[in-house]
Amino acid sequence: MKTEVNERIFQEVSQFLYMESALLDDRDFRGWLDVLTKDIEYRVPLRVTKDEGQGPGFLANMAIMDDTYRSLEVRIRRLETEYSWAEIPPSRTRHYVTNIRIEQGTDENSVQVKSNLLLYRSRGDSPLFDLLSGERHDVLRLSDGQWRLAKRIVYLDQTTLSAHNVSFFF
Protein backbone atom coordinates (compact mmCIF):
# COMPACT_ATOMS: atom_id res chain seq x y z
CA MET A 1 0.00 0.00 0.00
CA LYS A 2 1.40 3.41 -0.94
CA THR A 3 1.56 6.16 1.63
CA GLU A 4 -1.07 8.78 0.89
CA VAL A 5 -0.01 12.31 1.76
CA ASN A 6 -2.76 13.77 3.94
CA GLU A 7 -3.07 15.93 7.07
CA ARG A 8 -2.13 13.01 9.35
CA ILE A 9 1.01 12.29 7.33
CA PHE A 10 1.87 16.00 7.31
CA GLN A 11 1.60 16.11 11.12
CA GLU A 12 3.65 12.92 11.57
CA VAL A 13 6.39 14.10 9.22
CA SER A 14 6.50 17.58 10.79
CA GLN A 15 6.79 16.04 14.26
CA PHE A 16 9.54 13.73 13.01
CA LEU A 17 11.55 16.70 11.66
CA TYR A 18 11.12 18.63 14.92
CA MET A 19 12.11 15.59 17.01
CA GLU A 20 15.13 14.96 14.78
CA SER A 21 16.23 18.60 15.22
CA ALA A 22 15.87 18.29 18.99
CA LEU A 23 18.08 15.18 19.01
CA LEU A 24 20.80 17.11 17.17
CA ASP A 25 20.45 20.23 19.32
CA ASP A 26 20.58 18.10 22.48
CA ARG A 27 23.72 16.39 21.14
CA ASP A 28 21.96 13.02 21.34
CA PHE A 29 23.83 11.73 18.32
CA ARG A 30 23.20 8.06 19.14
CA GLY A 31 19.48 8.79 19.32
CA TRP A 32 19.74 10.60 15.98
CA LEU A 33 21.52 7.64 14.42
CA ASP A 34 18.59 5.47 15.52
CA VAL A 35 16.14 7.45 13.35
CA LEU A 36 18.23 6.93 10.19
CA THR A 37 17.87 4.02 7.79
CA LYS A 38 20.90 1.76 7.35
CA ASP A 39 21.05 2.74 3.65
CA ILE A 40 20.93 6.50 4.26
CA GLU A 41 22.50 8.94 1.82
CA TYR A 42 23.53 12.19 3.55
CA ARG A 43 24.95 14.87 1.27
CA VAL A 44 25.73 18.58 1.33
CA PRO A 45 26.91 19.46 -2.20
CA LEU A 46 29.34 22.29 -2.76
CA ARG A 47 27.67 25.46 -4.01
CA VAL A 48 29.33 27.68 -6.62
CA THR A 49 28.28 30.99 -8.07
CA LYS A 50 27.14 30.76 -11.66
CA ASP A 51 25.67 33.28 -14.04
CA GLU A 52 21.91 33.20 -14.47
CA GLY A 53 20.84 30.39 -16.76
CA GLN A 54 24.06 28.43 -16.20
CA GLY A 55 22.56 25.76 -13.95
CA PRO A 56 21.64 25.39 -10.30
CA GLY A 57 25.07 26.27 -8.89
CA PHE A 58 25.88 22.97 -7.15
CA LEU A 59 28.70 20.64 -8.07
CA ALA A 60 27.64 17.02 -8.55
CA ASN A 61 31.12 15.63 -7.86
CA MET A 62 32.14 17.73 -4.82
CA ALA A 63 30.51 18.00 -1.42
CA ILE A 64 31.00 19.45 2.03
CA MET A 65 29.56 16.19 3.37
CA ASP A 66 28.91 12.94 1.50
CA ASP A 67 28.08 10.27 4.06
CA THR A 68 26.57 6.84 4.52
CA TYR A 69 25.26 5.28 7.71
CA ARG A 70 28.70 3.83 8.37
CA SER A 71 30.56 7.13 7.94
CA LEU A 72 27.98 8.98 10.07
CA GLU A 73 28.45 6.34 12.76
CA VAL A 74 32.24 6.87 12.61
CA ARG A 75 31.76 10.66 12.92
CA ILE A 76 29.56 10.15 15.97
CA ARG A 77 31.99 7.71 17.57
CA ARG A 78 34.74 10.30 17.15
CA LEU A 79 32.53 13.00 18.73
CA GLU A 80 32.26 10.73 21.78
CA THR A 81 36.04 10.71 22.31
CA GLU A 82 38.48 13.25 23.69
CA TYR A 83 40.09 13.42 20.23
CA SER A 84 37.30 15.42 18.63
CA TRP A 85 39.31 18.64 18.88
CA ALA A 86 37.00 20.55 16.54
CA GLU A 87 34.29 20.08 19.17
CA ILE A 88 36.23 21.19 22.26
CA PRO A 89 34.31 23.02 23.60
CA PRO A 90 31.21 21.40 22.09
CA SER A 91 29.07 23.34 19.65
CA ARG A 92 25.67 24.56 20.69
CA THR A 93 23.26 24.35 17.77
CA ARG A 94 19.67 25.30 17.14
CA HIS A 95 17.90 23.95 14.04
CA TYR A 96 14.93 25.97 12.77
CA VAL A 97 12.92 23.91 10.29
CA THR A 98 10.18 25.68 8.35
CA ASN A 99 8.19 25.65 5.10
CA ILE A 100 7.69 21.87 5.15
CA ARG A 101 6.39 20.53 1.82
CA ILE A 102 5.55 16.86 1.36
CA GLU A 103 4.97 14.78 -1.75
CA GLN A 104 4.35 11.11 -2.31
CA GLY A 105 7.58 9.12 -2.41
CA THR A 106 8.85 7.12 -5.35
CA ASP A 107 8.53 3.81 -3.51
CA GLU A 108 6.05 2.24 -1.15
CA ASN A 109 5.79 3.80 2.31
CA SER A 110 8.00 6.81 1.60
CA VAL A 111 7.54 10.54 1.25
CA GLN A 112 9.71 13.25 -0.25
CA VAL A 113 10.05 16.26 2.00
CA LYS A 114 11.44 19.69 1.28
CA SER A 115 12.02 22.09 4.14
CA ASN A 116 13.92 25.26 4.84
CA LEU A 117 16.64 25.17 7.47
CA LEU A 118 18.23 27.90 9.51
CA LEU A 119 21.08 26.57 11.65
CA TYR A 120 22.56 28.63 14.48
CA ARG A 121 25.82 27.46 16.02
CA SER A 122 27.92 28.93 18.84
CA ARG A 123 30.85 27.62 20.84
CA GLY A 124 32.31 28.33 24.25
CA ASP A 125 32.18 31.91 25.50
CA SER A 126 32.83 33.46 22.11
CA PRO A 127 30.39 36.15 20.94
CA LEU A 128 30.90 34.85 17.40
CA PHE A 129 28.41 32.45 15.86
CA ASP A 130 27.66 30.70 12.59
CA LEU A 131 24.36 31.14 10.81
CA LEU A 132 23.71 28.80 7.90
CA SER A 133 20.58 28.62 5.79
CA GLY A 134 19.47 26.27 3.08
CA GLU A 135 16.88 23.90 1.76
CA ARG A 136 16.78 20.24 2.74
CA HIS A 137 15.51 17.56 0.37
CA ASP A 138 14.69 14.49 2.44
CA VAL A 139 13.25 11.07 1.82
CA LEU A 140 11.48 9.59 4.83
CA ARG A 141 10.56 5.93 4.90
CA LEU A 142 7.95 4.31 7.11
CA SER A 143 9.47 1.25 8.81
CA ASP A 144 7.72 -0.71 11.58
CA GLY A 145 5.30 2.18 12.08
CA GLN A 146 8.12 4.74 12.51
CA TRP A 147 9.38 7.36 10.09
CA ARG A 148 13.11 7.15 9.39
CA LEU A 149 15.40 9.43 7.42
CA ALA A 150 16.55 7.55 4.30
CA LYS A 151 18.11 10.41 2.33
CA ARG A 152 19.07 14.03 2.93
CA ILE A 153 20.54 16.52 0.53
CA VAL A 154 21.16 19.99 1.95
CA TYR A 155 21.45 22.85 -0.52
CA LEU A 156 23.13 25.65 1.40
CA ASP A 157 22.54 29.25 0.37
CA GLN A 158 26.18 30.23 1.00
CA THR A 159 29.03 29.52 -1.36
CA THR A 160 31.63 30.28 1.31
CA LEU A 161 31.02 29.07 4.83
CA SER A 162 32.15 31.26 7.71
CA ALA A 163 32.31 28.23 10.01
CA HIS A 164 35.86 27.14 10.87
CA ASN A 165 34.76 23.50 10.62
CA VAL A 166 31.68 21.45 9.81
CA SER A 167 31.60 19.09 12.77
CA PHE A 168 27.82 19.31 13.14
CA PHE A 169 24.88 17.85 11.26
CA PHE A 170 22.31 19.68 9.16
PDB file of all heavy atoms in Angstrom, residues 53-79:
ATOM      1  N   GLY A  53      21.038  31.278 -15.618  1.00  0.00           N
ATOM      2  CA  GLY A  53      20.837  30.391 -16.758  1.00  0.00           C
ATOM      3  C   GLY A  53      21.944  29.373 -16.956  1.00  0.00           C
ATOM      4  O   GLY A  53      21.909  28.597 -17.907  1.00  0.00           O
ATOM      5  N   GLN A  54      22.925  29.354 -16.073  1.00  0.00           N
ATOM      6  CA  GLN A  54      24.061  28.431 -16.202  1.00  0.00           C
ATOM      7  C   GLN A  54      23.950  27.219 -15.276  1.00  0.00           C
ATOM      8  O   GLN A  54      24.940  26.564 -15.010  1.00  0.00           O
ATOM      9  CB  GLN A  54      25.371  29.173 -15.899  1.00  0.00           C
ATOM     10  CG  GLN A  54      25.658  30.314 -16.835  1.00  0.00           C
ATOM     11  CD  GLN A  54      25.853  29.814 -18.265  1.00  0.00           C
ATOM     12  OE1 GLN A  54      26.606  28.884 -18.506  1.00  0.00           O
ATOM     13  NE2 GLN A  54      25.151  30.432 -19.202  1.00  0.00           N
ATOM     14  N   GLY A  55      22.756  26.930 -14.802  1.00  0.00           N
ATOM     15  CA  GLY A  55      22.565  25.762 -13.950  1.00  0.00           C
ATOM     16  C   GLY A  55      22.303  26.146 -12.512  1.00  0.00           C
ATOM     17  O   GLY A  55      22.323  27.324 -12.153  1.00  0.00           O
ATOM     18  N   PRO A  56      22.072  25.135 -11.674  1.00  0.00           N
ATOM     19  CA  PRO A  56      21.644  25.387 -10.296  1.00  0.00           C
ATOM     20  C   PRO A  56      22.739  25.904  -9.368  1.00  0.00           C
ATOM     21  O   PRO A  56      22.449  26.402  -8.294  1.00  0.00           O
ATOM     22  CB  PRO A  56      21.151  24.019  -9.830  1.00  0.00           C
ATOM     23  CG  PRO A  56      21.912  23.050 -10.662  1.00  0.00           C
ATOM     24  CD  PRO A  56      22.115  23.722 -11.992  1.00  0.00           C
ATOM     25  N   GLY A  57      23.995  25.756  -9.736  1.00  0.00           N
ATOM     26  CA  GLY A  57      25.072  26.271  -8.893  1.00  0.00           C
ATOM     27  C   GLY A  57      25.584  25.289  -7.859  1.00  0.00           C
ATOM     28  O   GLY A  57      26.182  25.702  -6.872  1.00  0.00           O
ATOM     29  N   PHE A  58      25.352  23.995  -8.060  1.00  0.00           N
ATOM     30  CA  PHE A  58      25.876  22.973  -7.149  1.00  0.00           C
ATOM     31  C   PHE A  58      26.697  21.983  -7.945  1.00  0.00           C
ATOM     32  O   PHE A  58      26.309  21.591  -9.042  1.00  0.00           O
ATOM     33  CB  PHE A  58      24.732  22.250  -6.423  1.00  0.00           C
ATOM     34  CG  PHE A  58      23.994  23.141  -5.472  1.00  0.00           C
ATOM     35  CD1 PHE A  58      22.831  23.770  -5.862  1.00  0.00           C
ATOM     36  CD2 PHE A  58      24.478  23.360  -4.196  1.00  0.00           C
ATOM     37  CE1 PHE A  58      22.149  24.606  -5.000  1.00  0.00           C
ATOM     38  CE2 PHE A  58      23.814  24.198  -3.324  1.00  0.00           C
ATOM     39  CZ  PHE A  58      22.640  24.821  -3.726  1.00  0.00           C
ATOM     40  N   LEU A  59      27.831  21.598  -7.389  1.00  0.00           N
ATOM     41  CA  LEU A  59      28.697  20.642  -8.067  1.00  0.00           C
ATOM     42  C   LEU A  59      28.264  19.210  -7.731  1.00  0.00           C
ATOM     43  O   LEU A  59      28.099  18.867  -6.564  1.00  0.00           O
ATOM     44  CB  LEU A  59      30.147  20.856  -7.652  1.00  0.00           C
ATOM     45  CG  LEU A  59      30.729  22.236  -7.990  1.00  0.00           C
ATOM     46  CD1 LEU A  59      32.158  22.350  -7.486  1.00  0.00           C
ATOM     47  CD2 LEU A  59      30.668  22.486  -9.486  1.00  0.00           C
ATOM     48  N   ALA A  60      28.084  18.407  -8.744  1.00  0.00           N
ATOM     49  CA  ALA A  60      27.640  17.017  -8.550  1.00  0.00           C
ATOM     50  C   ALA A  60      28.752  16.151  -7.974  1.00  0.00           C
ATOM     51  O   ALA A  60      28.476  15.184  -7.263  1.00  0.00           O
ATOM     52  CB  ALA A  60      27.151  16.443  -9.878  1.00  0.00           C
ATOM     53  N   ASN A  61      30.004  16.494  -8.255  1.00  0.00           N
ATOM     54  CA  ASN A  61      31.117  15.627  -7.857  1.00  0.00           C
ATOM     55  C   ASN A  61      31.919  16.146  -6.663  1.00  0.00           C
ATOM     56  O   ASN A  61      32.949  15.587  -6.323  1.00  0.00           O
ATOM     57  CB  ASN A  61      32.052  15.396  -9.046  1.00  0.00           C
ATOM     58  CG  ASN A  61      32.605  16.700  -9.586  1.00  0.00           C
ATOM     59  OD1 ASN A  61      32.152  17.782  -9.211  1.00  0.00           O
ATOM     60  ND2 ASN A  61      33.586  16.605 -10.458  1.00  0.00           N
ATOM     61  N   MET A  62      31.448  17.210  -6.006  1.00  0.00           N
ATOM     62  CA  MET A  62      32.142  17.734  -4.824  1.00  0.00           C
ATOM     63  C   MET A  62      31.112  18.064  -3.760  1.00  0.00           C
ATOM     64  O   MET A  62      30.040  18.575  -4.063  1.00  0.00           O
ATOM     65  CB  MET A  62      32.952  18.986  -5.166  1.00  0.00           C
ATOM     66  CG  MET A  62      34.129  18.701  -6.081  1.00  0.00           C
ATOM     67  SD  MET A  62      35.175  20.144  -6.292  1.00  0.00           S
ATOM     68  CE  MET A  62      35.954  20.241  -4.718  1.00  0.00           C
ATOM     69  N   ALA A  63      31.463  17.772  -2.499  1.00  0.00           N
ATOM     70  CA  ALA A  63      30.509  17.998  -1.423  1.00  0.00           C
ATOM     71  C   ALA A  63      31.225  18.382  -0.135  1.00  0.00           C
ATOM     72  O   ALA A  63      32.372  17.993   0.098  1.00  0.00           O
ATOM     73  CB  ALA A  63      29.676  16.740  -1.197  1.00  0.00           C
ATOM     74  N   ILE A  64      30.531  19.129   0.689  1.00  0.00           N
ATOM     75  CA  ILE A  64      31.002  19.450   2.034  1.00  0.00           C
ATOM     76  C   ILE A  64      30.871  18.199   2.903  1.00  0.00           C
ATOM     77  O   ILE A  64      31.730  17.897   3.715  1.00  0.00           O
ATOM     78  CB  ILE A  64      30.192  20.620   2.616  1.00  0.00           C
ATOM     79  CG1 ILE A  64      30.450  21.879   1.784  1.00  0.00           C
ATOM     80  CG2 ILE A  64      30.525  20.847   4.083  1.00  0.00           C
ATOM     81  CD1 ILE A  64      29.485  23.012   2.054  1.00  0.00           C
ATOM     82  N   MET A  65      29.779  17.473   2.701  1.00  0.00           N
ATOM     83  CA  MET A  65      29.557  16.192   3.369  1.00  0.00           C
ATOM     84  C   MET A  65      28.986  15.224   2.343  1.00  0.00           C
ATOM     85  O   MET A  65      28.137  15.612   1.542  1.00  0.00           O
ATOM     86  CB  MET A  65      28.587  16.333   4.539  1.00  0.00           C
ATOM     87  CG  MET A  65      29.077  17.203   5.676  1.00  0.00           C
ATOM     88  SD  MET A  65      27.838  17.405   6.964  1.00  0.00           S
ATOM     89  CE  MET A  65      28.200  15.987   7.972  1.00  0.00           C
ATOM     90  N   ASP A  66      29.435  13.996   2.376  1.00  0.00           N
ATOM     91  CA  ASP A  66      28.914  12.941   1.505  1.00  0.00           C
ATOM     92  C   ASP A  66      29.035  11.645   2.294  1.00  0.00           C
ATOM     93  O   ASP A  66      30.054  10.971   2.238  1.00  0.00           O
ATOM     94  CB  ASP A  66      29.700  12.882   0.197  1.00  0.00           C
ATOM     95  CG  ASP A  66      29.025  12.017  -0.845  1.00  0.00           C
ATOM     96  OD1 ASP A  66      27.932  11.475  -0.566  1.00  0.00           O
ATOM     97  OD2 ASP A  66      29.585  11.882  -1.940  1.00  0.00           O
ATOM     98  N   ASP A  67      27.987  11.327   3.065  1.00  0.00           N
ATOM     99  CA  ASP A  67      28.083  10.268   4.059  1.00  0.00           C
ATOM    100  C   ASP A  67      27.077   9.144   3.853  1.00  0.00           C
ATOM    101  O   ASP A  67      26.034   9.334   3.235  1.00  0.00           O
ATOM    102  CB  ASP A  67      27.884  10.855   5.464  1.00  0.00           C
ATOM    103  CG  ASP A  67      29.083  11.641   5.930  1.00  0.00           C
ATOM    104  OD1 ASP A  67      30.153  11.030   6.093  1.00  0.00           O
ATOM    105  OD2 ASP A  67      28.968  12.859   6.131  1.00  0.00           O
ATOM    106  N   THR A  68      27.430   8.014   4.428  1.00  0.00           N
ATOM    107  CA  THR A  68      26.570   6.842   4.522  1.00  0.00           C
ATOM    108  C   THR A  68      26.311   6.608   6.011  1.00  0.00           C
ATOM    109  O   THR A  68      26.880   7.298   6.869  1.00  0.00           O
ATOM    110  CB  THR A  68      27.276   5.605   3.941  1.00  0.00           C
ATOM    111  OG1 THR A  68      28.450   5.341   4.737  1.00  0.00           O
ATOM    112  CG2 THR A  68      27.665   5.813   2.483  1.00  0.00           C
ATOM    113  N   TYR A  69      25.504   5.617   6.309  1.00  0.00           N
ATOM    114  CA  TYR A  69      25.262   5.278   7.714  1.00  0.00           C
ATOM    115  C   TYR A  69      26.585   4.987   8.419  1.00  0.00           C
ATOM    116  O   TYR A  69      26.835   5.469   9.521  1.00  0.00           O
ATOM    117  CB  TYR A  69      24.325   4.070   7.816  1.00  0.00           C
ATOM    118  CG  TYR A  69      23.934   3.749   9.239  1.00  0.00           C
ATOM    119  CD1 TYR A  69      22.823   4.355   9.817  1.00  0.00           C
ATOM    120  CD2 TYR A  69      24.679   2.849  10.000  1.00  0.00           C
ATOM    121  CE1 TYR A  69      22.464   4.072  11.122  1.00  0.00           C
ATOM    122  CE2 TYR A  69      24.327   2.559  11.304  1.00  0.00           C
ATOM    123  CZ  TYR A  69      23.220   3.170  11.866  1.00  0.00           C
ATOM    124  OH  TYR A  69      22.870   2.891  13.159  1.00  0.00           O
ATOM    125  N   ARG A  70      27.417   4.223   7.769  1.00  0.00           N
ATOM    126  CA  ARG A  70      28.703   3.834   8.372  1.00  0.00           C
ATOM    127  C   ARG A  70      29.582   5.054   8.658  1.00  0.00           C
ATOM    128  O   ARG A  70      30.157   5.168   9.738  1.00  0.00           O
ATOM    129  CB  ARG A  70      29.431   2.857   7.442  1.00  0.00           C
ATOM    130  CG  ARG A  70      30.784   2.442   7.929  1.00  0.00           C
ATOM    131  CD  ARG A  70      30.679   1.405   9.031  1.00  0.00           C
ATOM    132  NE  ARG A  70      32.022   0.982   9.403  1.00  0.00           N
ATOM    133  CZ  ARG A  70      32.540   1.169  10.600  1.00  0.00           C
ATOM    134  NH1 ARG A  70      31.835   1.723  11.553  1.00  0.00           N
ATOM    135  NH2 ARG A  70      33.762   0.787  10.861  1.00  0.00           N
ATOM    136  N   SER A  71      29.697   5.967   7.706  1.00  0.00           N
ATOM    137  CA  SER A  71      30.560   7.134   7.937  1.00  0.00           C
ATOM    138  C   SER A  71      29.950   8.086   8.970  1.00  0.00           C
ATOM    139  O   SER A  71      30.682   8.706   9.744  1.00  0.00           O
ATOM    140  CB  SER A  71      30.874   7.859   6.625  1.00  0.00           C
ATOM    141  OG  SER A  71      29.718   8.354   6.018  1.00  0.00           O
ATOM    142  N   LEU A  72      28.619   8.173   9.023  1.00  0.00           N
ATOM    143  CA  LEU A  72      27.979   8.984  10.068  1.00  0.00           C
ATOM    144  C   LEU A  72      28.231   8.363  11.442  1.00  0.00           C
ATOM    145  O   LEU A  72      28.502   9.074  12.413  1.00  0.00           O
ATOM    146  CB  LEU A  72      26.477   9.111   9.808  1.00  0.00           C
ATOM    147  CG  LEU A  72      26.087   9.979   8.617  1.00  0.00           C
ATOM    148  CD1 LEU A  72      24.610   9.799   8.283  1.00  0.00           C
ATOM    149  CD2 LEU A  72      26.421  11.447   8.862  1.00  0.00           C
ATOM    150  N   GLU A  73      28.178   7.045  11.508  1.00  0.00           N
ATOM    151  CA  GLU A  73      28.453   6.342  12.758  1.00  0.00           C
ATOM    152  C   GLU A  73      29.893   6.593  13.216  1.00  0.00           C
ATOM    153  O   GLU A  73      30.149   6.820  14.407  1.00  0.00           O
ATOM    154  CB  GLU A  73      28.199   4.855  12.556  1.00  0.00           C
ATOM    155  CG  GLU A  73      28.256   4.031  13.807  1.00  0.00           C
ATOM    156  CD  GLU A  73      27.906   2.578  13.540  1.00  0.00           C
ATOM    157  OE1 GLU A  73      28.311   2.035  12.488  1.00  0.00           O
ATOM    158  OE2 GLU A  73      27.239   1.995  14.396  1.00  0.00           O
ATOM    159  N   VAL A  74      30.830   6.589  12.279  1.00  0.00           N
ATOM    160  CA  VAL A  74      32.236   6.872  12.608  1.00  0.00           C
ATOM    161  C   VAL A  74      32.379   8.305  13.109  1.00  0.00           C
ATOM    162  O   VAL A  74      33.087   8.554  14.099  1.00  0.00           O
ATOM    163  CB  VAL A  74      33.147   6.609  11.389  1.00  0.00           C
ATOM    164  CG1 VAL A  74      34.546   7.160  11.616  1.00  0.00           C
ATOM    165  CG2 VAL A  74      33.203   5.121  11.085  1.00  0.00           C
ATOM    166  N   ARG A  75      31.719   9.258  12.457  1.00  0.00           N
ATOM    167  CA  ARG A  75      31.755  10.661  12.916  1.00  0.00           C
ATOM    168  C   ARG A  75      31.258  10.768  14.355  1.00  0.00           C
ATOM    169  O   ARG A  75      31.844  11.469  15.179  1.00  0.00           O
ATOM    170  CB  ARG A  75      30.885  11.547  12.031  1.00  0.00           C
ATOM    171  CG  ARG A  75      31.467  11.918  10.706  1.00  0.00           C
ATOM    172  CD  ARG A  75      30.436  12.789   9.961  1.00  0.00           C
ATOM    173  NE  ARG A  75      30.835  13.062   8.621  1.00  0.00           N
ATOM    174  CZ  ARG A  75      31.433  14.185   8.226  1.00  0.00           C
ATOM    175  NH1 ARG A  75      31.671  15.137   9.094  1.00  0.00           N
ATOM    176  NH2 ARG A  75      31.759  14.365   6.974  1.00  0.00           N
ATOM    177  N   ILE A  76      30.149  10.078  14.631  1.00  0.00           N
ATOM    178  CA  ILE A  76      29.556  10.148  15.966  1.00  0.00           C
ATOM    179  C   ILE A  76      30.464   9.485  16.991  1.00  0.00           C
ATOM    180  O   ILE A  76      30.660  10.025  18.091  1.00  0.00           O
ATOM    181  CB  ILE A  76      28.144   9.522  15.946  1.00  0.00           C
ATOM    182  CG1 ILE A  76      27.200  10.470  15.195  1.00  0.00           C
ATOM    183  CG2 ILE A  76      27.637   9.244  17.359  1.00  0.00           C
ATOM    184  CD1 ILE A  76      25.863   9.896  14.842  1.00  0.00           C
ATOM    185  N   ARG A  77      31.047   8.357  16.645  1.00  0.00           N
ATOM    186  CA  ARG A  77      31.987   7.708  17.565  1.00  0.00           C
ATOM    187  C   ARG A  77      33.148   8.646  17.899  1.00  0.00           C
ATOM    188  O   ARG A  77      33.595   8.715  19.042  1.00  0.00           O
ATOM    189  CB  ARG A  77      32.511   6.404  16.971  1.00  0.00           C
ATOM    190  CG  ARG A  77      32.001   5.215  17.749  1.00  0.00           C
ATOM    191  CD  ARG A  77      32.617   3.924  17.351  1.00  0.00           C
ATOM    192  NE  ARG A  77      32.093   3.549  16.053  1.00  0.00           N
ATOM    193  CZ  ARG A  77      32.785   2.941  15.117  1.00  0.00           C
ATOM    194  NH1 ARG A  77      34.034   2.620  15.308  1.00  0.00           N
ATOM    195  NH2 ARG A  77      32.249   2.638  13.980  1.00  0.00           N
ATOM    196  N   ARG A  78      33.639   9.362  16.907  1.00  0.00           N
ATOM    197  CA  ARG A  78      34.737  10.304  17.148  1.00  0.00           C
ATOM    198  C   ARG A  78      34.279  11.441  18.065  1.00  0.00           C
ATOM    199  O   ARG A  78      35.031  11.870  18.946  1.00  0.00           O
ATOM    200  CB  ARG A  78      35.261  10.860  15.835  1.00  0.00           C
ATOM    201  CG  ARG A  78      36.432  11.809  16.051  1.00  0.00           C
ATOM    202  CD  ARG A  78      37.017  12.274  14.741  1.00  0.00           C
ATOM    203  NE  ARG A  78      37.955  13.337  14.940  1.00  0.00           N
ATOM    204  CZ  ARG A  78      39.263  13.173  15.063  1.00  0.00           C
ATOM    205  NH1 ARG A  78      39.787  11.991  14.997  1.00  0.00           N
ATOM    206  NH2 ARG A  78      40.055  14.207  15.239  1.00  0.00           N
ATOM    207  N   LEU A  79      33.047  11.930  17.869  1.00  0.00           N
ATOM    208  CA  LEU A  79      32.532  13.000  18.730  1.00  0.00           C
ATOM    209  C   LEU A  79      32.447  12.568  20.190  1.00  0.00           C
ATOM    210  O   LEU A  79      32.465  13.404  21.095  1.00  0.00           O
ATOM    211  CB  LEU A  79      31.151  13.457  18.247  1.00  0.00           C
ATOM    212  CG  LEU A  79      31.121  14.283  16.973  1.00  0.00           C
ATOM    213  CD1 LEU A  79      29.693  14.472  16.484  1.00  0.00           C
ATOM    214  CD2 LEU A  79      31.802  15.631  17.178  1.00  0.00           C
TER     215      LEU A  79
END
